[in-house]
Amino acid sequence: MATPSTRGQRGAAALLLSPFLVLFAAVTLAPLLHTAWLSLFTTRTSGLGFAGARSVFAGLDNYARALSDPGFRDGFLVVAAYCAVYIPVMIGGALVLALLLDSGLARARSFFQLALFLPHAVPGLIAALIWVYLYTPGLSPVVDLLRSGGIDIGFLSADTAVLSTANIAVWEWTGYNMVIFYAALQAVPRETLDAAKVDGAGALRTALSVKVPMIRPAVALAVLFTVIGSVQLFTEPKVIYSASTAIGSSWTPNMYVQTAAFQNNDFGLAAAASLLIALFAAALSFAVTRISRRGSQS
Amino acid sequence: MTPAVRHPAEPAATPATTPPTSPARRRRAPKPPSALLSRAGVTAVLALATVYTLAPLTWLLLSSTKSRADLFGTNGFALGEEMHLAENLRHLFSADGGVYLRWLANTVAYAGGGALLAALFGVAAGYAFDKLAFPGKERLFALVLLGVMVPGTALAIPLYLLAAEAGLVNTFWGVFLPGLVFPFGVYLARVFSAAYVPDEVLEAARMDGAGEFRAFCRIGLPMLAPGFVTIFLFQFTQIWNSFFLPLVMLSDQDLYPVNLGLYVWYSSALAQGHPEDYLLAVVGSLVAVAPLIAVFLMLQRFWKSGMTAGAVK
């Protein structure tokens, strides 16, 4: 039986939740469902094209086409290669920097925190623009500097496309994750650290065997968000794409979707591929959440 | 840092002789110096990393002051032959009929207006999930978490396809409405509400006969103000960062956010060989980024608290 107070709570909950839920349904659930529906159809041009295009039910045909298209699958390979470079460098770098800040040996801690975080205040597109300029021979002081040192790297060539893209992301995200790890390190109880010291552990040993394991949940969560972000890789390669011939128009899965939709007008295929990406990202984040939960319980 | 995150140091474990400084300094005694783990070594590594993060921004700042000849002719980390910043800015704000100002205004509307409403709706929903009893609560919350897992960029094409049906493609609303929804903000608001708003205070308000909605407006919302700012900042950066959605949704230059406009200038500089547009994208980037950096420096307390609340818990 609902007492007046619980009835009041229900009414207030409906009032407070409805703006979010209505919009959530309109811009998340509805587009996903609508796209799922569209992905089951394909556009056929009948005869010589005089009769115009018709929409034909295709079942799971679009999904099969996307999955069997090497262009789409290669996009995931590019993302995998990108993750293999980017995640260890970025997470490792952030962790080392956070440990150094937390070591008690660093001067000017708040200055370093801010200076290292600053790139994150730069939108991804502008970060990509700046770096593409810094990659461009004839314009870039970095290329000139390396060349005068006898090193000739084409940052925009096919061999380095993954590295050049990963570098932009490392620049943007290392400081951000460092701030998170540093905060987590500061929450490590000092008795634990004292105990390690009493047991004769040096600073390096304490960092590796005590501090890092204790902030594992924070690291796992950072990896999770990084992986989800990487699956969506679009902005940086899109900018490099306009400057380099090494990156094709469907280099990453999201670029594939954009090309399918707006260059080939194949909306059924774009819808199916889009949902596959969303599903893949959701499955990944679910898996990493499970792993991190197990990690923090043990 | 939020109260939810900070673990109180055990006073009993602190030796009486330790000076009361910051937690990091308090917990460690000076170490015998070894090569890399010395003060100088640690500071040098951090300084090196700082050079890496600041060099591109320095390049942006210096390049914005150069003429086109100097941009290509002088070292990127040195000043040019002549100071050209004023001319560059004049060119920026007059190019294409002054469209850059319009892009700035659009971005403020998309990111500022969108994030303000998204934070308000998120805080209201998070508060309701934390403090109010209603049927199906946890199931609804699971739906919100599902929303956290679906990445924004993967939603761009679905949003475009639906907007095409609804006639919202190439309108302000096609980009603005999606920004109003921030499921991670609802999650954060629930965490903040549990930390900031004591149940006892609400009980007292209920005893005094205040309605639930009134209690939220008068007590919950003010107490959640720091959480509100944090969620606002998160969503603000997210919308300011978004590129894929405006790219597919908009074709009318007058509706572009700064990001998309700069991209179009940059690609046209490349494709049509307009070298003067190279500088346009550089100066435009500086003008777009400078206020953002200022805001981040001013509000660092809030973004730090949000980041740690999301991660350390």
Side-chain angles (χ1 to χ4, degrees):
Chain A
M1 195 187 80
T3 65
S5 120
T6 63
R7 207 179 308 133
Q9 293 203 7
R10 283 180 194 187
L15 202 60
L16 293 177
L17 281 169
S18 50
F20 173 77
L21 288 178
V22 167
L23 284 162
F24 181 65
V27 307
T28 307
L29 301 178
L32 285 177
L33 290 175
H34 180 69
T35 306
W37 174 249
L38 283 181
S39 72
L40 303 176
F41 293 87
T42 185
T43 315
R44 296 247 163 79
T45 324
S46 50
L48 292 167
F50 295 123
R54 329 176 267 134
S55 198
V56 183
F57 184 77
L60 295 177
D61 197 35
N62 287 319
Y63 292 91
R65 273 204 300 150
L67 287 171
S68 63
D69 184 346
F72 186 58
R73 289 200 311 244
D74 287 352
F76 284 95
L77 291 182
V78 165
V79 166
Y82 166 83
C83 283
V85 177
Y86 166 49
I87 293 181
V89 171
M90 191 276 282
I91 296 286
L95 199 55
V96 167
L97 292 171
L99 285 168
L100 289 179
L101 274 182
D102 188 60
S103 70
L105 292 169
R107 292 166 202 280
R109 264 190 292 267
S110 46
F111 164 75
F112 282 127
Q113 267 198 80
L114 265 183
L116 293 169
F117 178 84
L118 216 50
H120 189 70
V122 179
L125 181 107
I126 292 179
L129 277 182
I130 297 174
W131 276 103
V132 165
Y133 279 80
L134 289 176
Y135 289 155
T136 306
L139 192 60
S140 161
V142 181
V143 174
D144 292 348
L145 197 74
L146 289 174
R147 193 164 287 167
S148 68
I151 308 168
D152 211 345
I153 301 181
F155 285 107
L156 299 172
S157 74
D159 305 333
T160 52
V162 166
L163 294 180
S164 300
T165 312
N167 173 56
I168 303 175
V170 167
W171 185 72
E172 278 182 89
W173 289 95
T174 306
Y176 177 89
N177 286 296
M178 182 205 69
V179 171
I180 291 175
F181 295 163
Y182 180 55
L185 281 171
Q186 300 226 298
V188 170
R190 53 164 278 119
E191 313 86 273
T192 317
L193 299 176
D194 286 343
K197 200 184 290 171
V198 170
D199 289 347
L204 194 64
R205 184 72 205 277
T206 312
L208 293 180
S209 312
V210 181
K211 288 184 183 174
V212 173
M214 288 200 75
I215 65 161
R216 217 171 101 173
V219 178
L221 213 65
V223 172
L224 158 74
F225 285 123
T226 308
V227 171
I228 301 175
S230 303
V231 175
Q232 310 179 62
L233 188 61
F234 180 79
T235 305
E236 293 87 349
K238 185 78 188 167
V239 172
I240 301 180
Y241 167 67
S242 24
S244 158
T245 49
I247 290 182
S249 64
S250 48
W251 199 58
T252 70
N254 268 328
M255 292 172 80
Y256 176 91
V257 168
Q258 197 221 355
T259 306
F262 298 102
Q263 269 172 38
N264 308 333
N265 289 318
D266 194 340
F267 285 105
L269 180 67
S274 221
L275 287 182
L276 286 171
I277 297 170
L279 258 176
F280 183 67
L284 263 180
S285 58
F286 182 71
V288 182
T289 315
R290 285 287 293 273
I291 294 167
S292 72
R293 196 166 295 157
R294 198 183 309 151
S296 62
Q297 273 164 4
S298 63
Chain B
M1 214 178 289
T2 66
V5 178
R6 174 168 286 156
H7 292 223
E10 299 286 323
T14 314
T17 50
T18 311
T21 44
S22 76
R25 191 168 300 167
R26 197 193 310 147
R27 68 166 78 121
R28 262 163 296 273
K31 285 263 152 213
S34 74
L36 254 182
L37 283 173
S38 65
R39 254 175 191 285
V42 166
T43 307
V45 174
L46 287 169
L48 211 63
T50 306
V51 169
Y52 169 69
T53 57
L54 294 187
L57 295 174
T58 312
W59 177 87
L60 182 69
L61 189 63
L62 287 170
S63 298
S64 302
T65 68
K66 290 179 184 177
S67 66
R68 181 158 41 104
D70 284 352
L71 181 70
F72 290 94
T74 59
N75 186 298
F77 293 127
L79 278 170
E81 306 285 323
E82 51 174 322
M83 189 64 188
H84 217 256
L85 181 62
E87 285 91 326
N88 289 342
L89 287 174
R90 208 170 306 132
H91 184 201
L92 174 72
F93 287 111
S94 63
D96 292 347
V99 79
Y100 184 81
L101 259 183
R102 172 108 209 192
W103 293 343
L104 277 182
N106 290 342
T107 306
V108 169
Y110 289 132
L116 210 60
L117 286 174
L120 185 65
F121 298 158
V123 164
Y127 172 90
F129 277 121
D130 177 50
K131 293 285 184 257
L132 301 177
F134 56 92
K137 176 156 110 169
E138 293 310 319
R139 214 166 301 154
L140 261 183
F141 193 66
L143 196 67
V144 173
L145 289 184
L146 198 73
V148 176
M149 287 188 184
V150 178
T153 309
L155 270 176
I157 292 286
L159 276 167
Y160 169 83
L161 295 171
L162 191 67
E165 303 275 311
L168 294 178
V169 164
N170 202 22
T171 65
F172 174 81
W173 301 106
V175 173
F176 183 73
L177 285 178
L180 299 183
V181 172
F182 185 31
F184 185 61
V186 175
Y187 165 80
L188 273 183
R190 190 179 183 169
V191 173
F192 281 129
S193 167
Y196 286 153
V197 187
D199 290 335
E200 295 82 17
V201 181
L202 284 183
E203 276 313 314
R206 282 171 191 148
M207 293 292 217
D208 292 347
E212 290 293 339
F213 185 71
R214 215 179 129 83
F216 169 73
C217 296
R218 290 294 174 82
I219 300 170
L221 198 55
M223 282 179 146
L224 282 169
F228 180 91
V229 179
T230 306
I231 295 168
F232 169 82
L233 272 178
F234 261 77
Q235 182 64 348
F236 181 85
T237 3
Q238 203 144 309
I239 303 176
W240 190 289
N241 260 313
S242 74
F243 171 61
F244 196 13
L245 183 68
L247 178 72
V248 301
M249 201 67 86
L250 302 176
S251 49
D252 178 0
Q253 275 219 4
D254 283 347
L255 294 172
Y256 283 3
V258 168
N259 267 349
L260 187 54
L262 288 174
Y263 172 75
V264 167
W265 269 350
Y266 166 76
S267 358
S268 85
L270 274 183
Q272 293 155 20
H274 293 160
E276 63 277 7
D277 283 0
Y278 267 112
L279 251 177
L280 221 47
V282 171
V283 184
S285 295
L286 180 74
V287 172
V289 159
L292 215 55
I293 288 182
V295 167
F296 261 92
L297 292 180
M298 281 189 309
L299 297 179
Q300 47 169 314
R301 190 158 71 85
F302 294 105
W303 54 254
K304 275 188 190 167
S305 78
M307 285 159 65
T308 50
V312 182
K313 281 287 284 185

